Amino acid sequence: MNFRKVGAAAAIATVLALTAGACGGDDGDNGSGGSGGDGKGKITVGIKFDQPGIGLKEPDGSFSGIDVETAKYVAKQLGYDEKNIEFKETKSADRETALANGDVDFIVASYSITPEREEKVDFAGPYFLAHQDLLIRADDNSITEATDLNSKKLCSVTGSTSAQNVQNDFAKDAQLIERGGYSECIGALQNKVVDALTTDNAILAGYAAQSQYKGKFKLAGLSLSNENYGIGVKKGSDLKAQINTALEKMVSDGTWQKVMDDAFGPANFKFEPAPQIGQLK
């Protein structure tokens, strides 16, 4: 008997068996390797867990907000059943890394499109236009303009560009305070540890409208920047074109308007009309 031939044949059989298992064993459960149009695969979507009206994990474990509803709609257009969507918390500082590592298939997390971010990821959209504003305590009349933040403490979250924008463009002497999440900034504002919280007006309106905060905070009513929310995908991914098609349909069939009305109507927040895909303001 030729033992070399026997050994080689065994090795080949082992490789074939492993290959067959890899091709057919997981039924596309790992998101980007999912089954796409047959609705049987899994897809993982990055969202925020702590932004009322945008992306919020409710006490019962469900999710709400415009980013959540947009993600559901897009996933359905890509061929995934809602039950097969896995929402994964993706904080501001972690978004680029999550996409690069394949931890998520796409991100819908109040993700403003900027030239710096476009160097690292691709964006579909925009699907929403927000403006940077300030949230202050309801009894604070000392802050009416961004320049009033000089020598005051301004909170934002790690990985967000909002506070740095204020310091660079409006109040160079503002003291920047970073926290891991917006809820931590809200607590610091309520306890007078900081004087203001800055981020997008849609996010701030969502917090101000929560029952436990009603009457305690107010928006300054400023438009310090345009924030074009996009859906982040891994650089070079063909998902960008597919998601853009889904977003266009979401607007044309009326779903976009309903989602925004449901999210912001109770807060009396006047949001911008649906932006044109591929056009930034």
Side-chain angles (χ1 to χ4, degrees), residues 44-51 54-57 63 67-68 71 86-112 117 121 123 157-160 180-182 203 230-233:
T44 305
V45 181
I47 62 169
K48 296 290 184 64
F49 277 17
D50 66 342
Q51 294 181 347
I54 307 295
L56 183 68
K57 186 174 183 178
F63 299 95
D67 284 353
V68 174
E86 177 188 356
F87 287 116
K88 185 170 185 177
E89 184 175 22
T90 313
K91 296 183 177 181
S92 295
D94 302 331
R95 289 177 295 202
E96 287 82 21
T97 301
L99 286 171
N101 291 344
D103 297 331
V104 295
D105 293 289
F106 61 86
I107 292 177
V108 196
S110 56
Y111 202 178
S112 297
R117 289 170 178 165
V121 304
F123 285 99
V157 302
T158 304
S160 171
Y182 291 106
I203 299 172
I231 296 181
V233 298

Side-chain angles (χ1 to χ4, degrees), residues 48 51 54 67 92 95-96 99 107-132 159-162 165 182 199-203 225-232 280-281:
K48 296 290 184 64
Q51 294 181 347
I54 307 295
D67 284 353
S92 295
R95 289 177 295 202
E96 287 82 21
L99 286 171
I107 292 177
V108 196
S110 56
Y111 202 178
S112 297
I113 303 171
T114 68
E116 294 77 16
R117 289 170 178 165
E118 286 184 303
E119 293 179 1
K120 300 177 182 178
V121 304
D122 284 340
F123 285 99
Y127 64 92
F128 188 80
L129 176 61
H131 302 285
Q132 186 179 345
S160 171
T161 59
S162 300
N165 289 343
Y182 291 106
T199 187
D200 306 339
N201 52 6
I203 299 172
S225 68
N226 291 339
E227 304 296 332
N228 295 274
Y229 288 1
I231 296 181
L280 304 184
K281 292 187 177 181

